């Protein structure tokens, strides 16, 4: 027998500001799943594995869309996660050869878990958040426990006084003002962020 197990999408950065990226990506998945089974004769749906862009802009529409499509269509598409942790070439846009090998290993892990073993692999992602006064607790799905801080990167936001202690987390009021983070701690599958003041007040 012959068939296709997965479609890998490692997209470029041009779509960073594309507000329609999720719907367009799902249309691509749908087109593949219409055209390819007509050739192979397979009845099994073809999973799409897609990675988030990282180097073009913070809070980009496409990076959010790639995560959200896996949430909205979990049986069809899976987000492999971000790429900031991989080594980049001097242009700051493309990975090095070693970086692409690491990304390939991540794709291989997901393919093995989802397609070969049939398990419901999902990336490290938030599942719930609650706030009690100045304390925010974010719960995560952790694919490979335990949840830990990486020590391989410089501490983020060191130039932003309010978020210097945030370990990469950012807190703002509903009006967009930065809220100072006092401390951040891991507790099981959750991260507890303690702010200097109640961000909702």
């Amino acid at each position: 027998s012959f068939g296709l197990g997965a479609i890998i999408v490692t997209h470029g950065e041009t779509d960073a500001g594309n507000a329609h990226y999720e719907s367009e990506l799902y249309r691509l998945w749908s087109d593949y799943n219409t055209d390819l089974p007509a050739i192979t004769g397979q009845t099994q749906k073809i999973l799409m594995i897609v990675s988030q862009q990282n180097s073009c802009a913070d809070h980009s529409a496409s990076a959010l869309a790639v995560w959200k499509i896996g949430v909205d269509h979990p049986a069809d598409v899976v987000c492999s996660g971000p790429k900031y942790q991989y080594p980049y070439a001097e242009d700051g846009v493309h990975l090095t050869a070693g970086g692409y090998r690491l990304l390939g290993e991540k794709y291989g892990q997901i393919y093995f878990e989802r397609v070969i073993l049939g398990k419901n692999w999902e990336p490290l992602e938030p599942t719930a958040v609650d706030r009690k006064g100045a304390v925010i607790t974010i719960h995560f799905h952790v694919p490979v426990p335990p949840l830990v801080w990486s020590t391989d990167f410089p501490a983020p936001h060191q130039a932003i006084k309010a978020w210097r202690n945030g370990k990469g987390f950012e807190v703002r009021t509903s009006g967009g003002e930065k809220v100072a983070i006092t401390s951040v701690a891991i507790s099981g599958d959750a991260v507890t962020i303690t702010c200097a003041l109640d961000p909702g007040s």
Side-chain angles (χ1 to χ4, degrees), residues 50-199:
V50 57
S51 63
Q52 292 173 295
Q53 71 89 13
N54 169 64
S55 63
C56 193
D58 289 339
H59 312 110
S60 75
S62 69
L64 180 60
V66 167
W67 168 72
K68 196 166 184 302
I69 193 173
V71 174
D72 294 340
H73 305 280
D76 305 327
V77 185
V78 60
C79 169
S80 69
K83 292 200 285 284
Y84 67 83
Q85 69 273 27
Y86 302 130
Y88 274 77
E90 290 184 4
D91 65 3
V93 176
H94 300 92
L95 301 179
T96 63
Y100 283 113
R101 281 194 294 272
L102 291 170
L103 179 60
E105 288 180 10
K106 176 55 68 177
Y107 288 154
Q109 175 197 19
I110 297 166
Y111 181 85
F112 183 72
E113 293 285 336
R114 289 288 295 264
V115 180
I116 303 300
L117 299 182
K119 293 183 178 180
N120 189 30
W121 190 95
E122 297 169 348
L124 175 69
E125 61 184 352
T127 57
V129 61
D130 52 69
R131 179 176 62 84
K132 293 180 180 178
V135 178
I136 302 168
T137 302
I138 306 171
H139 296 272
F140 288 88
H141 167 73
V142 185
V144 183
L147 185 63
V148 297
W149 304 119
S150 173
T151 57
D152 296 333
F153 304 100
H157 292 323
Q158 294 308 289
I160 303 174
K161 185 178 180 181
W163 298 333
R164 194 173 294 160
N165 297 323
K167 293 189 178 292
F169 287 92
E170 304 172 6
V171 179
R172 294 179 185 269
T173 64
S174 58
E177 297 296 319
K178 293 182 180 71
V179 175
I181 296 174
T182 305
S183 65
V184 179
I186 293 174
S187 177
D189 69 348
V191 172
T192 300
I193 304 169
T194 303
C195 301
L197 53 84
D198 183 343

